[in-house]
Every structure is written in C-alpha cells, then in structure tokens.
Amino acid sequence: MYVLSGDVLERLKAGLLECAKNEEPGGPDIEMPGPGSWPEPYKSRAGGLAQARSSYVAAEEKKRGITAADLPVPGPLAGAALFGAPHLLLVCTTRGVSVPYSCFDAGAFAQSLTLAAHARGLGTCIMAGAVRHPDLLRALIPESEDLVFMVAIALGYPDPDAPINQFPRQRAAVDERAFFVGS
Ligand SMILES: Cc1cc2nc3c(=O)[nH]c(=O)nc-3n(C[C@H](O)[C@H](O)[C@H](O)COP(=O)(O)O)c2cc1C
C-alpha cells in the first residue's frame, strides 16, 4: 500500500481533474469495465443507483439552498478531486503475481481497512477511478514501474451533514442474492 498526501496528492488531483475534463478513458493496470458493460441485473442496479443518488443530492441542495460555491468540490468532478479527501491509499500488487488472486487479497484488505477507519471515526471511499490513469501515479511514486495499481481508497474525516452522505441506499433483499441449497 502507498499513501499519498500533501503536495503529491494535490498533483495527482490536478492530473485526475484534467483527465476528467478531457473525458480521457485512461488505461488502468487491471481490467475495469464500467457498469455500462455489466450484465443484468447489475447494470440496471448500478444505473438506478447513480440516478437516484444524483436526484437526491440535487433535491437536497435545492432544499437547503446549497450552491456550487458552497461545496469544496462541486458537481461531476468531485470524484476526480477525490471528494476533497486529504489522503489517498493505493492498494497494489507486483507484476508477475496472479491478478485474479491479488484481486481477492486487495478486496479483503480494502474492506478491513475501511472498517478499521470507520471504527476510528474516519471516512473512506473505495475508488477505481483514482487508479484509472496509472501513468499519473508512476510519475509521482519512485520505483513504481513494477507495481500494479489495483484500487484506491480516499481517506479523511467524513462530513455527515453532506447530502451525499445522507443518501438512503436501497439494499437488495438477502433472498434476492443469497441462495440456500439443502437443509
Ligand atoms: C471496487 C470499487 C470501486 C469503486 N470505485 C469508485 C469510484 O471510482 N468512484 C466513486 O465515487 N465510487 C466508487 N465506488 C463506490 C464507493 O466506494 C461506494 O460509496 C462504496 O462502495 C460504499 O457504498 P455504500 O456506502 O452504499 O455501501 C467503488 C466501489 C468499489 C467496491
């Protein structure tokens, strides 16, 4: 894991913002097909979630009189600016190690880390978008040629009052996703 902070993180955010403004697709180290290419029902769930979230946030902002000027990072570029997080954790493996197995390890690690952070009053956002342009990361991290950037985790103190942090998520019912075979 690498932890980027301070001036190095600001340089990464500037690079990510530039890529987002230019709509550059990026070339991640591991395959990251977006929800548009996922099979059903995941594609519709992801699309529905994104739509419901942006409608909720827009309605809340209107209700509370929040404008772009009030937000640390407004609108669709908020993700590229890592939602204003002061630290970014990069979960990596090394070239030559099996990527599918490393994905399992990276996922277990990311889950444990986010739960540990939450238990300490910190907020996280697991982010594929922050490793979508690994050339930016390699330019900032010494001796990183053989690293495979798998996923990133933005870390900071959460703002519980922010509309996006109050969005009521719909969870799939257990019996929709878990199948019990035998007794
Ligand atoms: C592998 C992975 C990659 C993700 N990438 C991004 C991302 O690039 N940008 C983003 O805003 N959210 C991303 N998310 C979603 C957020 O991390 C999401 O808020 C998180 O999964 C928690 O959702 P919940 O609070 O609804 O449980 C990603 C999630 C996962 C598991």
Side-chain angles (χ1 to χ4, degrees):
M1 186 184 74
Y2 286 74
V3 185
L4 307 189
S5 310
D7 60 324
V8 171
L9 188 60
E10 289 313 312
R11 278 153 62 196
L12 176 64
K13 285 182 190 175
L16 289 172
L17 275 168
E18 203 53 34
C19 291
K21 281 181 195 155
N22 299 332
E23 297 183 11
E24 286 174 31
D29 286 345
I30 63 170
E31 273 184 56
M32 281 178 194
S37 66
W38 297 352
E40 295 296 351
Y42 312 110
K43 183 178 169 175
S44 296
R45 272 186 66 84
L49 174 69
Q51 207 163 31
R53 187 178 52 210
S54 55
S55 307
Y56 174 85
V57 169
E60 271 306 294
E61 286 178 355
K62 197 171 166 199
K63 198 158 76 184
R64 299 192 209 173
I66 299 171
T67 67
D70 303 315
L71 298 168
V73 208
L77 296 177
L82 312 175
F83 306 104
H87 305 283
L88 185 72
L89 284 51
L90 298 163
V91 184
C92 311
T93 188
T94 308
R95 280 192 208 288
V97 174
S98 157
V99 164
Y101 256 110
S102 294
C103 283
F104 177 85
D105 296 334
F109 177 82
Q111 171 97 65
S112 302
L113 191 135
T114 53
L115 291 174
H118 178 72
R120 287 160 177 76
L122 291 158
T124 56
C125 184
I126 296 176
M127 299 191 73
V131 293
R132 203 167 267 287
H133 303 276
D135 47 326
L136 297 176
L137 300 169
R138 291 204 172 82
L140 295 169
I141 301 172
E143 294 172 36
S144 51
E145 297 79 21
D146 289 335
L147 293 178
V148 177
F149 293 102
M150 306 194 77
V151 78
I153 306 171
L155 177 76
Y157 285 103
D159 174 2
D161 296 329
I164 196 155
N165 289 335
Q166 294 181 350
F167 169 60
R169 275 92 80 214
Q170 302 279 323
R171 304 295 188 196
V174 171
D175 60 3
E176 220 180 283
R177 293 283 86 214
F179 307 99
F180 301 89
V181 182
S183 55

